[in-house]
Amino acid sequence: MKKFILTLLLPLLWTTSFAQNKVEAEKIVDEGIAFHDKAEYDNAIAKYDKALALDKDNLFALTEKAFSLLAQKKYEECIKVSEIALAKHKTGNELQTLYVTYGNALDMVNKSVESVAAYDAGIRLFPTYQMLYFNKAVTLRTLKKSEEALLSLQKAATLNPNHPGSHHVMGLTLKEQNNAIGALLAYWRFFTLEPISSRASSNFTQVQEIMKGGVTTNGDKNVNISIPSSLLTDSKKGEKPKENTFSTTFLMLSMAAALDNGADFKNETEIQRFTRKFDIVCAALATSKKENYGFLWDYYVPYFLELKEKGYSEMFAHVVFASLKKPEVTKYFQDNQPKLNEFATWSSNFKWPK
C-alpha cells in the first residue's frame, strides 16, 4: 500500500519541483533584466545563466540572454542561443521578441536572406506583431528590395500608427524612390511622434530639401524648376494614374516654392514659409484626392487634411521645427500650451485606417 501511494506521489512531487524551479528561475531573469536596463550586460547574462541552471530550457531566460548578447554585438552567440530556444519551443509569447532579436543578429552578420526568413517565421506565428514587419522592412532595404520593404512598412504602420521608426524608414524609402510628396507625408507624421531627436534633426533636413520643390535660383535670380522625370511619366493622358502618385501636388509645391524670393514672401520667417507651403500642399491633396489612390493616399492624406481643417497648421509647423531647439519655438509652445495640448489630444485620438 505504501509503495502504491509513493508511486502516485512521485509525479506530483516532480511537477511541484519543476514549477518551483520555473518560478524561481524567472525571478532571477527579472534581476537580469534590471542589469540589462543599466547596460550591465555581463551581469545580466550571468543572471540568465543562473536561471537556466535551475530550468535549463526556460524560454524567458533564453530570450533575454539572446537580447543581451545582441546588445553586446555578440551576434554569433546571439544566433546560437536563439536557435536553441526556437528548437525547443514552438509556443510562448516570448517568441515574438525572440524572432526580432534573431532576425537582427542574422542581418548584422550579413545573413540578410536568412534574417527575412526568420521574420517571416515569426509573422506566421504572430501576424499582428508590428515589430516583425518593421524589422523585416529594414532588412529588405539592405537587400535593395524597396518595394517589398514598403509593403512591410505599410503593414507595420497600420498595426501601430504611433511607431515613429516605421514613418522614418517609410520616408527614407519613398525619398529614394523619388516619391517626394509621399516621403514628405511620412516624415511629417514622424515629427508628430518624435519631434526632438537625432533622427528628427536628420529628417528635418530632408523635409526642407523636399519643400524647395525642385526650385533653384542662379546669380541672376532666375528661377529654375526641376521636375523629376518620374512625375512626368506617371500616367498617360486619359489613363488612370499610378498608385500613390502625387504629380499635381508636387507641381503645386514647386509653384509655391518659386515664390519664396518674390516681393510678397521674401521676408517670411522659416516657420511662416513652411506653414504657407504646408497649407498649399494640403489644398492640392484635397483637390486631387478623388482621382488618386493607394496606401499613402488612404493612410496619410486624411490625417493631414483634418489637421489643416482643425486649424493646427501653425502649431504643426512649430512641432516640425522643434528639433532645432530655437528660443522662438520654445516660447511659442509656452505661450500656446492649451492649443498644443488640444493638438496632441486630437492627434492621439485620430482614427487611422485598419
Side-chain angles (χ1 to χ4, degrees):
M1 183 65 177
K2 288 182 180 180
K3 184 177 180 181
F4 177 71
I5 293 173
L6 184 60
T7 303
L8 290 176
L9 285 176
L10 280 175
L12 179 60
L13 291 170
W14 171 260
T15 303
T16 302
S17 175
F18 175 79
Q20 288 174 340
N21 284 352
K22 187 175 188 296
V23 169
E24 186 60 31
E26 295 190 350
K27 286 181 182 178
I28 296 171
V29 174
D30 286 333
E31 294 172 8
I33 291 172
F35 280 120
H36 179 101
D37 291 343
K38 293 186 289 186
E40 296 181 20
Y41 303 123
D42 285 333
N43 289 334
I45 290 170
K47 288 289 185 181
Y48 304 142
D49 286 339
K50 184 177 178 181
L52 290 167
L54 275 176
D55 183 16
K56 67 182 182 70
D57 296 331
N58 188 282
L59 179 57
F60 188 24
L62 289 168
T63 298
E64 294 301 329
K65 181 177 181 179
F67 188 44
S68 289
L69 288 167
L70 181 70
Q72 287 184 311
K73 300 183 180 181
K74 295 181 178 180
Y75 303 123
E76 293 292 354
E77 290 182 55
C78 175
I79 291 168
K80 183 178 179 180
V81 171
S82 298
E83 290 177 345
I84 289 171
L86 292 170
K88 292 180 179 295
H89 299 277
K90 305 303 178 186
T91 60
N93 288 334
E94 294 92 346
L95 289 175
Q96 61 183 3
T97 55
L98 181 62
Y99 274 111
V100 171
T101 299
Y102 182 41
N104 268 265
L106 287 167
D107 196 24
M108 295 305 296
V109 296
N110 298 316
K111 294 182 178 179
S112 298
V113 173
E114 293 90 337
S115 174
V116 171
Y119 295 131
D120 283 338
I123 287 168
R124 284 193 291 273
L125 286 175
F126 305 99
T128 61
Y129 187 52
Q130 179 261 351
M131 290 303 293
L132 286 164
Y133 295 95
F134 170 71
N135 283 277
K136 178 182 175 182
V138 172
T139 301
L140 286 167
R141 279 173 51 80
T142 301
L143 293 169
K144 309 298 183 185
K145 296 183 177 182
S146 59
E147 288 297 335
E148 290 181 47
L150 281 175
L151 290 175
S152 197
L153 287 167
Q154 290 170 13
K155 185 68 174 178
T158 301
L159 287 169
N160 183 6
N162 298 319
H163 181 241
S166 295
H167 306 290
H168 167 69
V169 179
M170 186 101 70
L172 289 174
T173 308
L174 289 166
K175 190 171 187 297
E176 290 169 359
Q177 292 186 337
N178 293 317
N179 190 336
I181 301 299
L184 204 56
L185 294 171
Y187 283 138
W188 282 350
R189 173 56 179 156
F190 168 86
F191 283 117
T192 65
L193 299 167
E194 189 179 301
I196 301 176
S197 67
S198 58
R199 290 194 301 188
S201 298
S202 173
N203 288 348
F204 179 84
T205 301
Q206 299 293 327
V207 164
Q208 289 296 80
E209 179 187 339
I210 293 171
M211 291 192 76
K212 291 178 182 177
V215 173
T216 56
T217 56
N218 58 27
D220 299 324
K221 296 186 178 180
N222 292 324
V223 175
N224 301 309
I225 302 178
S226 176
I227 307 296
S229 59
S230 59
L231 294 182
L232 302 176
T233 58
D234 272 338
S235 60
K236 296 179 181 178
K237 188 175 180 180
E239 288 185 356
K240 185 178 181 180
K242 291 181 180 180
E243 188 175 11
N244 295 314
T245 294
F246 295 93
S247 304
T248 301
T249 305
F250 186 84
L251 290 171
M252 293 299 294
L253 175 60
S254 296
M255 292 173 64
L259 299 174
D260 284 354
N261 294 314
D264 293 337
F265 303 111
K266 65 180 180 180
N267 294 322
E268 286 179 317
T269 66
E270 285 187 291
I271 293 178
Q272 288 172 337
R273 180 160 292 174
F274 178 94
T275 305
R276 172 174 60 87
K277 291 180 182 178
F278 173 78
D279 284 343
I280 288 171
V281 167
C282 287
L285 290 171
T287 301
S288 306
K289 193 172 186 304
K290 285 186 179 180
E291 63 263 27
N292 286 283
Y293 64 103
F295 174 85
L296 302 176
W297 282 95
D298 296 336
Y299 186 84
Y300 287 116
V301 172
Y303 176 84
F304 288 106
L305 293 187
E306 188 172 318
L307 186 155
K308 178 179 178 295
E309 290 167 8
K310 294 282 186 181
Y312 296 136
S313 296
E314 185 181 46
M315 177 61 68
F316 174 64
H318 282 82
V319 169
V320 171
F321 277 75
S323 65
L324 301 184
K325 300 179 181 178
K326 290 187 173 183
E328 59 267 33
V329 175
T330 301
K331 186 176 186 305
Y332 177 86
F333 289 139
Q334 291 171 344
D335 293 344
N336 294 273
Q337 191 64 49
K339 185 83 168 180
L340 177 61
N341 293 339
E342 182 185 306
F343 170 69
T345 299
W346 166 79
S347 183
S348 63
N349 291 333
F350 182 81
K351 302 299 182 185
W352 293 92
K354 299 296 184 182

